[in-house]
Amino acid sequence: MRAPQSVAEGSTVAEHRATGASGDTIVDLRSDTVTRPTAGMREAMATAEVGDDVYGEDPTVNALEAEVAALFGHEAALLAPTGSMANQIALQLVVPPAHELLCDADAHVVTYEIGAAAAYGGISSRTWPAVGGDVAPDVVAAMVRPDGYWAVPTRAIAVEQTHNRGGGGVIPLTTLHALRRIADDAGVALHCDGARIWHAHVAEGVPLAEYGALFDTLSVCLSKGLGAPVGSLVIGSAEHIERARYVRKRLGGGMRQAGVLAAAGRYALAHHVSRLAEDHAKAARLAEAIAPFGLLATTVRTNIVPLDLTKASLDAHALAAAARAEGVLVSVLGPRTARLVTHLDVDDAGIDRAVAVLTRILSR
């Protein structure tokens, strides 16, 4: 019997505990959440000035929140322990109970957050077909339900930038502008699950403030790609963030001397954003090596290489097991779907090894 899939990023329990049969250093391509703090980040954490954040008195948390809000051109931000909590806080700010959220069928908010929008926010959701970054604004516009007619009214539209299950796809700026117009015309909010928005910023050269201006609320993650051990932020107006503090407390997310964690986030913002281009280049190398096998699910734009094994001789679990035996970890997202993710803990030598192992397995 196979181990159940991991809730957070799709890898199985067995794969999570895997070690290479040869005893060599593992090349872990399951997720960019597996990174460990660098020496500089650990020093920043150890020397962080702290206070009680529930009282609003942690200076390092306050500085991080102000910095992130300014980066995206918003009034305020709030530190949360996890990306899921940050998303759920934001959704509760813009969608009242028994009202509706629209998003795509593969969106993190309805796929990997264990039904939290319904369980904690009383939020109903409807989805458009999963298309990653290729959102069709006309399809979304046609789904918006107004008040009346005894139907559940739409209150917000959510998009994911970049898109995890969409292979790191980037939603074009023109599409986002079209969605903003749709939201304005319908009088609904637009939320961005921006866990990996840093990647879109680096890949497309779009300023973070330009992205920020398009959304009523955003969530951004410090531990996906940026290398911090924990932490995400909710971004919005000052009024929204004041309410967000109450929602965070209700969800159990109030933290005390959280400046130790905020220091890691501030270090990540200072040192690990521009280097994401290196991860994109490494993902492109993996994609180039795998492309001849016809298994790429989509064009690789950022740090995620999605594999569609529908026509392959082995399924995703078999690929993961064979790679694990040779010290390379990959993420299983479904019976015939796998994923490789580059990050700051995988260097060029690691990519060389992964290419050698994966191409050898796929050539059998």
Side-chain angles (χ1 to χ4, degrees):
M1 180 177 178
R2 286 179 176 140
Q5 287 196 338
S6 161
V7 169
E9 288 289 340
S11 59
T12 66
V13 173
E15 285 144 16
H16 180 71
R17 295 174 179 170
T19 56
S22 65
D24 294 336
T25 302
I26 296 294
V27 179
D28 195 340
L29 297 172
R30 289 172 301 160
S31 176
D32 47 10
T33 62
V34 302
T35 56
R36 295 153 296 182
T38 63
M41 183 178 287
R42 290 175 187 268
E43 181 180 359
M45 295 171 72
T47 59
E49 185 180 358
V50 300
D52 191 321
D53 183 50
V54 173
Y55 287 110
E57 295 174 355
D58 190 302
T60 308
V61 172
N62 293 341
L64 172 66
E65 292 171 344
E67 179 181 2
V68 171
L71 283 173
F72 287 88
H74 277 258
E75 292 179 331
L78 181 73
L79 179 64
T82 72
S84 292
M85 184 180 288
N87 270 331
Q88 294 306 318
I89 291 170
L91 294 183
Q92 289 189 42
L93 295 178
V94 294
V95 185
H99 291 225
E100 182 179 76
L101 170 74
L102 300 181
C103 62
D104 81 89
D106 269 349
H108 195 283
V109 294
V110 293
T111 303
Y112 290 129
E113 299 184 13
I114 322 299
Y120 296 120
I123 296 171
S124 179
S125 59
R126 261 188 317 134
T127 60
W128 61 82
V131 289
D134 299 323
V135 181
D138 290 347
V139 170
V140 178
M143 292 179 66
V144 176
R145 285 175 174 158
D147 287 305
Y149 310 103
W150 301 105
V152 179
T154 303
R155 291 294 180 239
I157 300 165
V159 294
E160 190 172 327
Q161 181 79 310
T162 63
H163 200 291
N164 176 20
R165 288 185 63 86
V170 180
I171 303 174
L173 199 57
T174 53
T175 300
L176 295 177
H177 277 288
L179 292 173
R180 179 71 265 174
R181 289 192 294 271
I182 291 167
D184 287 343
D185 290 345
V188 304
L190 188 61
H191 170 67
C192 178
D193 175 357
R196 294 183 174 92
I197 198 168
W198 320 103
H199 287 279
H201 161 62
V202 170
E204 298 293 295
V206 176
L208 295 172
E210 189 167 356
Y211 279 135
L214 294 169
F215 298 100
D216 298 281
T217 57
L218 301 94
S219 66
V220 299
C221 188
L222 303 170
S223 62
K224 286 187 173 75
L226 296 191
V230 66
S232 290
L233 292 102
V234 185
I235 305 168
S237 67
E239 180 182 0
H240 271 151
I241 299 307
E242 184 62 29
R243 287 180 53 211
R245 292 187 183 278
Y246 286 90
V247 180
R248 182 184 68 176
K249 193 77 167 81
R250 184 179 299 126
L251 295 177
M255 297 178 285
R256 300 297 179 174
Q257 286 69 37
V260 174
L261 304 177
R266 297 201 75 196
Y267 184 92
L269 291 174
H271 298 278
H272 293 166
V273 175
S274 62
R275 67 148 306 282
L276 293 175
E278 300 173 25
D279 295 338
H280 300 172
K282 290 168 186 171
R285 285 183 56 203
L286 286 170
E288 183 179 8
I290 293 170
F293 298 94
L295 303 178
L296 293 178
T298 188
T299 302
V300 173
R301 299 286 305 282
T302 53
N303 70 320
I304 298 177
V305 182
L307 304 182
D308 179 358
L309 302 170
T310 304
K311 298 180 181 179
S313 61
L314 73 176
D315 65 15
H317 289 279
L319 172 64
R324 181 173 70 246
E326 297 194 48
V328 176
L329 304 187
V330 305
S331 184
V332 175
L333 299 184
R336 289 276 173 178
T337 307
R339 184 190 68 174
L340 314 173
V341 185
T342 56
H343 50 79
L344 62 84
D345 278 8
V346 178
D347 58 14
D348 288 327
I351 296 298
D352 290 340
R353 184 173 166 200
V355 166
V357 167
L358 293 171
T359 55
R360 182 165 57 248
I361 293 170
L362 294 172
S363 296
R364 294 173 184 170

